[in-house]
């Protein structure tokens, strides 16, 4: 049960759990989505999650001078757990 959702939003989420990421719901009330994401966000802060093989590939490319920019739309911050220079990482 989402604490930050209205009764109508709770009913929609109960009928279809994917509604929590629906753009129309998000535009009206971002808090249910953020409530669902909270464990992930806190886990990132606590370094519970680790950079993946793909992150390591980009790290290797940077090390060998083959990476000029890393455009990322990730919110996990895992790019910053690598040795990729911060000036090459461009969050979009």
């Amino acid at each position: 049960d989402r604490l930050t959702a209205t009764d109508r939003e709770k009913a929609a989420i109960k009928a279809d759990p994917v509604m929590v990421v629906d753009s129309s719901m998000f535009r009206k009330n971002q808090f249910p989505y953020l409530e669902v994401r909270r464990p992930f966000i806190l886990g990132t802060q606590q370094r519970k999650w680790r950079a993946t093989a793909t992150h390591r590939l980009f790290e290797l490319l940077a090390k060998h001078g083959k990476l000029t920019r890393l455009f990322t739309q990730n919110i996990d911050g895992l790019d910053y757990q690598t040795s990729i220079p911060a000036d090459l990482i461009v969050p979009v």
Side-chain angles (χ1 to χ4, degrees):
D1 199 24
R2 303 292 92 183
L3 299 174
T4 56
T6 65
D7 289 341
R8 179 183 237 176
E9 291 166 342
K10 287 178 187 177
I13 294 167
K14 187 174 183 176
D16 180 6
V18 176
M19 282 301 295
V20 78
V21 296
D22 182 78
S23 62
S24 63
M25 183 179 290
F26 185 82
R27 280 192 294 269
K28 293 176 188 169
N29 182 3
Q30 301 84 31
F31 294 116
Y33 170 77
L34 295 173
E35 188 177 348
V36 168
R37 301 297 296 164
R38 188 172 195 270
F40 174 76
I41 293 166
L42 292 177
T44 300
Q45 181 185 23
Q46 298 162 352
R47 293 184 158 264
K48 197 176 196 179
W49 321 120
R50 302 277 181 239
T52 66
T54 303
H55 293 99
R56 299 301 175 198
L57 172 64
F58 291 130
E59 183 178 45
L60 188 62
L61 290 171
K63 179 181 177 183
H64 291 282
K66 302 292 183 184
L67 184 71
T68 55
R69 290 282 181 277
L70 176 59
F71 292 91
T72 178
Q73 52 185 344
N74 292 335
I75 61 165
D76 55 23
L78 296 179
D79 303 313
Y80 296 98
Q81 289 184 12
T82 67
S83 65
I84 299 171
D87 61 319
L88 295 184
I89 301 172
V90 181
V92 292

